[in-house]
Amino acid sequence: MIKNFKMNIRELRTFLILWITQSFSALGSAMTSFALVIWSYQQHGSALTSSLLAICSYAPYVLLSIFAGALSDRWNKKATMLISDSFAALCTVSILILMTTGKLQIWHLYLINTLNGLMNTVQQPASDVAISLLAPQKHYQKVSGMRSLSNSLVTILTPILATSMLSFTSIRVVILFDLITFTTAFIALLCFVHIPQVPKQSGTGSETVLQSAKSGLRYLRDNRGILDLILFLAVINFTASIFNAALPAMMLSRAGGGELALGMVNTVTGIAMMVGSLSVAILPPPKSRVRVILNCLLFSMSSENFILAFGRSTPVWCLGAILGWVFIPVMNANMDVLFRSTIPIEMQGRVYSARNTLQFFTIPVGYLCGGVLVDRVFEPFMAGQPLDSLWVALVGTGKGSGAALLFLSIGIFGACSCLPFRADKHIWRLEE
């Protein structure tokens, strides 16, 4: 057992260096994003204003990913990641300067998030392909579990560290910590990580960017199981984005809520994901990855939304977070293994980029819908309800009750949206 452990460490040494340092950098970035969401909501008190931060990040990412992936397949993966991360750091420095001089406005954050989203279009597919190049195929499930584990730890630590820093210092300290984590990851990638070049596919060197982008879409068209699974996740992402837009509005304004409640729910979410991630890394591969993916999503959609809607206290909301997120890493890991094992490595940049466009275009739409529905529909609707109303009996009164009613609605929608894909024969054929 010890011999196998040492062998695994040797085989994954370069991946481990990249994984640990990039995860550390992701923690700093997540803390800055968390602090800026709180800052924007405290400044404007609007779910839509805060949601636009995410919309500005995702919109360019979704619109241009399909072309950026074609470029990513041609460019050096390490150089692409270094340049993209450096640009993101410059954006963070600009936020720090504007905040220090007292000139930071919400539109500055919208612009900076848009620029970051543009750089993510080439950074993300380069990073995904780099993982496939650094990790042997036999370790794909283990690697996916480890990546889910680091994401879980980031989710756990982000609210704890960010809230602590905001309470005892200021948001500027959070941003400085983000820059320290970036520097660590940059030096590690530059000096200690060698990423092999992707084997060139015959004929791809003469392809234009448009032709390369089309080849990614053509691959998905010819592999309907992968395509239908991506479309399923697009529907789930739409529901999840509405959820993410409404959660801060409800947590920060609901009776019994506040920054501490939001931080506790986010922390518990991370703990639940960590448990799921550890189970993926330890347990043997399932007999049916497709069944695991479908069951995990149905359970998640059918639990947390309803508990958040009907719950009136932080412990109940934390219970919902546990049920809603504990199986998400299991789903993600099995999805990741399916994609990496099925898609040829020389095509992965283009296919992943086409996937990003199709799977993630619903995220900015969901954030926009979530912000509008909270501010313009559900909160005004609940504000006008008499105390003896059925809706008041279900979700309570006061600010935040409209967001709670929205959780009830997306719980029903999310659960129902899982059912048609369970009958999709193309998805089940991926088992073959």
Side-chain angles (χ1 to χ4, degrees):
M1 183 175 179
I2 296 177
K3 184 178 180 181
N4 287 337
F5 177 76
K6 290 181 177 179
M7 183 179 297
N8 289 340
I9 293 295
R10 283 198 300 270
E11 292 175 344
L12 294 173
R13 177 182 174 277
T14 306
F15 163 77
L16 290 172
I17 295 173
L18 182 65
W19 170 61
I20 291 171
T21 54
Q22 291 290 318
S23 298
F24 185 49
S25 180
L27 173 63
S29 300
M31 288 171 59
T32 297
S33 298
F34 183 86
L36 290 174
V37 167
I38 292 178
W39 178 86
S40 66
Y41 193 80
Q42 289 174 339
Q43 294 288 316
H44 301 278
S46 167
L48 180 58
T49 299
S50 300
S51 298
L52 284 171
L53 292 172
I55 293 170
C56 290
S57 295
Y58 274 103
Y61 178 75
V62 167
L63 292 174
L64 300 178
S65 270
I66 192 169
F67 303 107
L71 295 173
S72 177
D73 272 343
R74 299 169 179 225
W75 293 344
N76 181 280
K77 304 297 179 290
K78 181 173 178 176
T80 301
M81 294 170 66
L82 288 171
I83 293 171
S84 300
D85 289 345
S86 299
F87 184 85
L90 288 175
C91 290
T92 303
V93 170
S94 66
I95 294 175
L96 179 61
I97 294 173
L98 289 169
M99 184 164 287
T100 302
T101 57
K103 296 180 180 180
L104 182 64
Q105 302 291 326
I106 192 67
W107 70 267
H108 292 137
L109 297 180
Y110 294 156
L111 176 61
I112 289 170
N113 280 13
T114 300
L115 295 174
N116 271 329
L118 286 172
M119 294 307 295
N120 280 339
T121 59
V122 292
Q123 197 271 352
Q124 190 62 49
S127 178
D128 284 336
V129 177
I131 299 300
S132 296
L133 291 169
L134 293 175
Q137 185 170 348
K138 66 179 181 179
H139 292 307
Y140 279 175
Q141 176 158 326
K142 192 184 302 295
V143 164
S144 297
M146 293 166 65
R147 296 177 74 194
S148 294
L149 177 61
S150 61
N151 291 336
S152 305
L153 290 173
V154 168
T155 305
I156 293 170
L157 296 175
T158 293
I160 296 174
L161 297 179
T163 303
S164 299
M165 288 185 183
L166 290 173
S167 299
F168 295 105
T169 56
S170 68
I171 191 172
R172 287 185 287 276
V173 176
V174 176
I175 296 174
L176 285 172
F177 178 78
D178 184 7
L179 293 174
I180 291 172
T181 63
F182 154 75
T183 304
T184 303
F186 183 90
I187 293 173
L189 177 58
L190 179 65
C191 302
F192 302 106
V193 175
H194 170 69
I195 301 176
Q197 291 297 310
V198 179
K200 294 296 182 182
Q201 190 180 31
S202 59
T204 58
S206 60
E207 282 186 339
T208 65
V209 172
L210 183 59
Q211 289 172 332
S212 296
K214 285 182 178 179
S215 68
L217 290 173
R218 188 161 52 247
Y219 179 89
L220 292 179
R221 181 198 65 190
D222 296 337
N223 293 267
R224 278 291 306 277
I226 297 290
L227 176 60
D228 289 4
L229 201 52
I230 289 172
L231 296 178
F232 177 32
L233 290 181
V235 176
I236 297 297
N237 283 337
F238 175 73
T239 308
S241 300
I242 296 177
F243 171 95
N244 289 332
L247 185 64
M250 189 184 87
M251 291 284 114
L252 295 174
S253 57
R254 195 85 154 131
E259 290 182 23
L260 180 60
L262 178 60
M264 289 183 66
V265 169
N266 282 330
T267 300
V268 169
T269 296
I271 293 173
M273 293 178 67
M274 183 175 66
V275 172
S277 301
L278 288 172
S279 69
V280 170
I282 295 173
L283 294 176
K287 293 181 180 179
S288 172
R289 295 191 186 277
V290 170
R291 189 177 302 279
V292 168
I293 292 168
L294 297 174
N295 287 345
C296 286
L297 288 175
L298 178 60
F299 182 83
S300 296
M301 291 291 107
S302 305
S303 55
E304 184 179 13
N305 291 312
F306 295 105
I307 294 175
L308 289 176
F310 298 133
R312 308 291 174 86
S313 65
T314 301
V316 175
W317 296 329
C318 288
L319 173 62
I322 292 172
L323 297 177
W325 290 95
V326 68
F327 293 118
I328 293 301
V330 180
M331 180 277 296
N332 281 332
N334 282 278
M335 182 92 59
D336 191 53
V337 173
L338 273 180
F339 284 173
R340 292 187 191 281
S341 303
T342 304
I343 304 169
I345 194 167
E346 66 274 8
M347 286 287 297
Q348 284 185 10
R350 281 162 283 180
V351 176
Y352 281 158
S353 296
R355 175 203 65 180
N356 291 346
T357 297
L358 296 173
Q359 182 177 323
F360 299 140
F361 85 94
T362 53
I363 291 180
V365 176
Y367 270 103
L368 179 62
C369 289
V372 170
L373 289 172
V374 170
D375 288 349
R376 308 289 173 81
V377 180
F378 284 90
E379 289 293 344
F381 174 78
M382 288 304 300
Q385 293 298 303
L387 293 178
D388 59 350
S389 166
L390 172 63
W391 303 115
V392 170
L394 288 174
V395 298
T397 60
K399 192 171 184 180
S401 59
L405 183 58
L406 177 57
F407 283 128
L408 175 60
S409 302
I410 63 176
I412 297 171
F413 174 80
C416 292
S417 65
C418 292
L419 301 179
F421 291 94
R422 294 180 67 85
D424 190 316
K425 60 183 181 180
H426 298 291
I427 294 178
W428 285 104
R429 283 176 184 163
L430 289 173
E431 298 285 22
E432 302 173 2

